[in-house]
Amino acid sequence: MKLNSKIFSFFSILAVGMFVVVTAISLYSFREFSIASSREHMRTAAEIVRAHLTDSMINGVIGKRENFLQRLTEVQGLQSARVVRGENVQSQFGAGLSREQPADEIEQLVLKDGKARYELTEEGMSVVYRGTIPFTATAHGTPNCLQCHKVSEGNVLGAVTLTMSISPLKQMALTTVALIVAALAFFSLIAYLFLRRLVRPLVGTADNVAYAVQRAVHGDFTVNIERKTNDEIGQIAEDLNRLMGFLQKGLHAIGSNVALLISQKPTKDRNLLTNTVDMVETLKNAAQFKKSIEEDETRHEIYQRLSNVIEDNFDVHHFSVYEVATNKSQIIPIVVDGAVGGECKWCDPQILVRPEACRARRTGHVIDAVESPGICYAFQPQKEFEGYSHVCLPVIQSGVVGSVVQIVVSPLETERVQDITPYISAYLREAAPVLETKRLMDTLRESTLQDAMTGLKNRRFLEEYVDTLVATAQRQKANISILMLDLDYFKMVNDTYGHDAGDTVLKSLAKVLKQSVRASDIVIRYGGEEFLILLQNSSGDAADMVAEKIRTAVEAMKIPVAGTTLQKTISIGIADFPNDSETFWQAVKYADVALYQAKETGRNRWLRFKRDMWSDEKEY
């Protein structure tokens, strides 16, 4: 119910209630006043009758009492007057006139108990009030009753019955009440009209305020409220207009600036308030996301967290996260549809080895196939996903594309995905510098664990990796064959042909060593011309065969340097962990001892460690 209706209903109920109460009180008051007034008139008339009868008895004219009673009825209002004799009077003076006998039960009761009785009779508009008042004997006054009557004081001598019409009083009361009600109605109407005039601006302003607030909830702050009065209500309207204008200007400025931050396209259909709240909330969540990933240890943890955000926060379940390799020669699928390490599902697998085939990787721009269908030929969904489209978001790191996030869009989700794409981009912008930092740290760490000249792992790598290597071997109960290798007479190459020639020889050797072992085996430049090879899950004859393979390959290796061709040989020492020693570094020492024996016994050979080769029992 609106305010105007409430006020009208309240005023109407109050007015009707006031009319009913005033009318009831007035009618009751007039009725009681009429009855009380008539009763006093009857008592006065009864006293006059008693005094007249007393005087008539003393003066001997009691026989003319009927004439007096007849004349008494001529008094305005009195209809009848009749005297009734009591038993004591009848026994002393006789029965008297027939009209003086008790006519009804009321008169008999009055004569019996000496109590006055009154009765009101209504017939239509005629109202008659009857009173029967007793005459009791008293010794007071001169003359008094006891002078003529032989009775005791207090005995009932008789009674007088009077009737009078109070219809004029009733009519007067009704007229007066009607005039009062009419006056109340008149003043109530004036009060209502005045109140309505006062309330109308309030109601109008309240309705306008409600409408303005409702529009504001839906993001429209342009509603202007008309100022209808110059009082406080008008001031409220004017202040609300200023507030709406301030909110419109402020939210528009905030929304525009935040939209620029998240690259959201402006649209007129969006709710300004909720859209601004969503954008600010996204920036806050993205900032919190950045704090979280800054504490992650690896890039893969960051990609996993990003995958969770895309799935949980944006309800996207078909997507891919690709990382461009450091050498930019391949693209690696990191997360596919929420699964870490999944295979390339949505694109032509050729992009994995030909990164240029990826349009987002090649251009560094957002590729929106929703707006431009078929823009990227590399997008090749399976037949069951025919009709699906995609949006590819490049993640720029150091000015180049370091990662690509691909959002796959079903035909029913195109509008929603276009709405959430700017928000996902906000997360990617926060993730980009962190991913770049992690990549640079990984590159730096790899450079410290890799020999710059040969590209092999260095001794520091072995020192950091040995605990993991040993723990894995112990857990799998596997052996590790340790090959310690050293080029024969390498110093002569440096002395004769120079260090550049020596570097060329070492590079060629490194290439031969990598080609001679499995991908799971580890080749390490241990120092100078000395190399170390760890053959995992290998021992005995298998290690011997690898050693022989390396020896023959090096012997057959021809290295062109400084206008000539060099050929070198290599000596190899072999030890087994944990068969030769339960301590890894001791096993390495044993391989070094075997290498020393190979060189001492002629070079260009391999020897497996034997206990008789070790003369010092001290552990290293």
Side-chain angles (χ1 to χ4, degrees), residues 182-197:
L184 285 175
F186 175 74
F187 286 109
S188 297
L189 178 61
I190 293 176
Y192 172 73
L193 294 176
F194 179 72
L195 181 62
R196 184 180 179 185
R197 181 177 178 83

Side-chain angles (χ1 to χ4, degrees), residues 64-172:
K64 297 180 179 181
R65 58 186 180 277
E66 281 299 317
N67 293 334
F68 170 74
L69 294 176
Q70 186 64 32
R71 291 180 61 187
L72 187 64
T73 58
E74 296 177 0
V75 176
Q76 184 177 1
L78 284 177
Q79 288 184 337
S80 64
R82 190 170 67 85
V83 175
V84 181
R85 288 194 174 195
E87 293 180 358
N88 293 326
V89 176
Q90 288 183 17
S91 62
Q92 183 177 355
F93 298 103
L97 302 175
S98 59
R99 293 182 68 251
E100 296 177 347
Q101 298 300 316
D104 54 23
E105 184 179 358
I106 294 176
E107 291 179 345
Q108 292 176 1
L109 290 174
V110 172
L111 293 176
K112 183 177 179 181
D113 58 17
K115 295 180 180 179
R117 284 178 170 78
Y118 302 92
E119 183 182 31
L120 185 67
T121 304
E122 296 187 39
E123 294 182 4
M125 293 300 294
S126 176
V127 183
V128 177
Y129 191 64
R130 169 187 168 176
T132 301
I133 303 171
F135 293 150
T136 55
T138 177
H140 301 286
T142 302
N144 58 58
C145 300
L146 299 183
Q147 291 176 349
C148 299
H149 296 281
K150 297 178 181 180
V151 294
S152 301
E153 186 175 4
N155 291 137
V156 178
L157 300 177
V160 58
T161 298
L162 303 170
T163 60
M164 63 183 303
S165 175
I166 60 175
S167 296
L169 293 176
K170 178 180 179 181
Q171 187 63 38
M172 185 181 300

Side-chain angles (χ1 to χ4, degrees), residues 222-239:
T222 60
V223 178
N224 190 57
I225 301 175
E226 179 185 358
R227 179 169 183 169
K228 298 181 178 181
T229 61
N230 293 322
D231 54 11
E232 292 85 350
I233 303 302
Q235 188 63 39
I236 290 175
E238 185 174 342
D239 291 343

Side-chain angles (χ1 to χ4, degrees), residues 33-42 129 164 166 169:
F33 174 77
S34 299
I35 292 175
S37 177
S38 299
R39 184 175 299 173
E40 290 302 318
H41 289 168
M42 285 183 176
Y129 191 64
M164 63 183 303
I166 60 175
L169 293 176

Side-chain angles (χ1 to χ4, degrees), residues 23-40:
T23 301
I25 292 175
S26 299
L27 291 175
Y28 178 77
S29 299
F30 277 114
R31 182 179 185 277
E32 292 300 313
F33 174 77
S34 299
I35 292 175
S37 177
S38 299
R39 184 175 299 173
E40 290 302 318

